[in-house]
Amino acid sequence: MKQTPGYDAIQRQMAPGVITLEGFLGTDNRKLIDILNADDATVRRAEVTHQQIAERMQYFRDIGLDGLGEFMGVDDHFDVRVDSVRGKLPSPFGGPGMYEKVNTTVVNKRLGREVVYTDLHIHFVRDHGFYEGKGSSYRLEPEDLIAILEVAPAT
């Protein structure tokens, strides 16, 4: 697939200083469509979908809200903490609404690994298959999300 003018406009919104100080692409100089395609291929190889990953992210976020700011045990081998920071962010992809600045930390005690993501990340993954660019401070590697959150292959 080729980068369209629409993706060019979205990519400009992702630049440092437009929506966030650091932007969403890090040191990744690829076109947005190439970033999306590469991550999509990774997810397909794992035999899961972006929707499944986002649903699992949302699952932990929703449970963690009950203990806002405190770790909670979930499903016998996860610890989850949700922290809220004041403010909201728009999506560089556009669309309705703003996304709360909520951070979710999921610790998989069985693996000894953790991941931290935001409400905006859930939107990025669910609606766009976007995990941020390589070199971004907030980049989520699809393989890490799949392993840490234990996203089961699609049936």
Side-chain angles (χ1 to χ4, degrees), residues 68 83-89 99-103:
L68 193 60
D83 297 297
S84 181
V85 182
R86 291 179 62 173
K88 296 180 180 184
L89 290 172
Y99 295 87
E100 299 281 341
K101 290 185 177 181
V102 173
N103 297 323

Side-chain angles (χ1 to χ4, degrees), residues 86-148:
R86 291 179 62 173
K88 296 180 180 184
L89 290 172
S91 171
F93 288 93
M98 302 278 278
Y99 295 87
E100 299 281 341
K101 290 185 177 181
V102 173
N103 297 323
T104 301
T105 302
V106 178
V107 178
N108 183 321
K109 295 184 288 188
R110 186 172 18 215
L111 297 178
R113 297 177 65 194
E114 76 176 53
V115 65
V116 179
Y117 55 87
T118 67
D119 283 9
L120 188 56
H121 280 120
I122 297 170
H123 157 70
F124 282 165
V125 172
R126 177 182 315 144
D127 299 330
H128 307 287
F130 181 62
Y131 298 81
E132 299 206 24
K134 300 280 186 184
S136 169
S137 299
Y138 301 99
R139 163 85 179 164
L140 298 172
E141 293 295 340
E143 305 96 326
D144 292 343
L145 282 172
I146 293 164
I148 295 167

Side-chain angles (χ1 to χ4, degrees), residues 17-28:
V18 178
I19 293 176
T20 66
L21 183 63
E22 293 183 28
F24 300 98
L25 299 173
T27 57
D28 203 328

Side-chain angles (χ1 to χ4, degrees), residues 10 15-16 18 20 26 29 33 50 52-53 59-60 62-63 66-67 69 76 84 89 91 95 136-137 144 152:
I10 294 166
V18 178
T20 66
N29 294 320
I33 195 69
H50 303 292
Q52 286 176 283
I53 296 169
Y59 168 76
F60 286 114
D62 290 349
I63 288 176
D66 288 340
D76 83 316
S84 181
L89 290 172
S91 171
S136 169
S137 299
D144 292 343

Side-chain angles (χ1 to χ4, degrees), residues 1-57:
M1 186 188 275
K2 196 170 183 176
Q3 179 113 346
T4 64
Y7 278 118
D8 286 337
I10 294 166
Q11 191 159 0
R12 285 191 296 275
Q13 290 292 311
M14 293 181 174
V18 178
I19 293 176
T20 66
L21 183 63
E22 293 183 28
F24 300 98
L25 299 173
T27 57
D28 203 328
N29 294 320
R30 296 176 293 167
K31 295 279 190 186
L32 177 58
I33 195 69
D34 296 329
I35 295 169
L36 293 169
N37 286 337
D39 285 336
D40 186 59
T42 298
V43 169
R44 287 176 185 272
R45 277 192 302 275
E47 298 180 346
V48 299
T49 66
H50 303 292
Q51 183 69 32
Q52 286 176 283
I53 296 169
E55 285 172 4
R56 194 74 169 149
M57 295 167 77

